[in-house]
Amino acid sequence: MRVCTNTGLALVDGPRTGYRIAKVSYGPLNPLERSADPSEVRSHWSRFDTPGRTIYLADSKQIAYAETLSLARASSDFRSAVDFVARHFGMSWQDAWDEVRNDWSRNGHMTPGSVPAGWRDDHLVYQLKISSPAPWVDLTAMESLAAVSAALGPNLRSTYGVDLLTLSTLTGENREVTSVIAEWIRTQIVDDGSYPAGVKFHSKLGGGACWAFWMRRTDDGLGNDPVEVTEEHKILKTDVDMKYVLGLYGARCH
């Protein structure tokens, strides 16, 4: 790691390899394009999305599974649906839980405590190599937190109520905040004259690092980005990394 003399951001070198779990129908290199429209609601964006396209990868398969299978935990949306059914149909909470879970399963959704076989069939584990020579910004470093705070602190405070930028801010659920930070970093020119390839950050679920890569060439209509799929694997019910993560979540796979 080194500190950029232009921006104060902590930098780590590429290229980078990692794991990504994606639907077969979309593939691993075709993320949703985010709009630059300032009225765009960013609450549904991924953590360090910016206007354009962003690819995420994890240092290990376990971290990739942890991020992807977090929906196997009981989400607030699921609990809200259960509460609604129980309240409006006069059912016990457990009966409402079973009813909503069965309904979600019929519609192909991942439900708390269970990963359907159809989900495994629809997804693959990809190993990616990003061979960009540009450095990455390490958002796990205190130097990067200090640099972002110096540049964006007043705006984060007045607009989003963030008085102190910490790692908990970056792993929190306010995607307006994290995407604004990412958007600022993406525009910076570091001391070797390049733009950052992306950012390194902690998985909010623990276990290690994740990486967000901004697809600048694709976004600018300049051709393909320096990303390649080096391996791809089916997700088997016996996958030891998946079983380990589901065991931590108290969930199982069909």
Side-chain angles (χ1 to χ4, degrees), residues 8 23 162 242:
K23 291 191 70 171
V162 177
M242 181 182 68

Side-chain angles (χ1 to χ4, degrees), residues 2 10-14 132-137 190-192 194-199:
R2 67 182 182 85
L11 304 176
V12 291
D13 292 331
S132 170
W136 299 69
V137 172
V190 298
D191 53 16
D192 66 0
S194 68
Y195 290 102
V199 294

Side-chain angles (χ1 to χ4, degrees), residues 89-151:
F89 294 96
M91 303 171 67
S92 71
W93 206 83
Q94 184 59 57
D95 287 343
W97 175 286
D98 293 338
E99 182 69 23
V100 174
R101 183 167 63 178
N102 290 337
D103 184 58
W104 280 29
S105 294
R106 284 192 296 270
N107 287 287
H109 298 301
M110 192 182 301
T111 59
S114 178
V115 177
W119 180 87
R120 292 191 293 105
D121 294 337
D122 290 342
H123 292 73
L124 290 176
V125 178
Y126 298 92
Q127 186 176 46
L128 305 182
K129 181 178 181 180
I130 298 177
S131 53
S132 170
W136 299 69
V137 172
D138 185 353
L139 280 177
T140 70
M142 61 182 179
E143 291 87 353
S144 292
L145 288 175
V148 173
S149 294

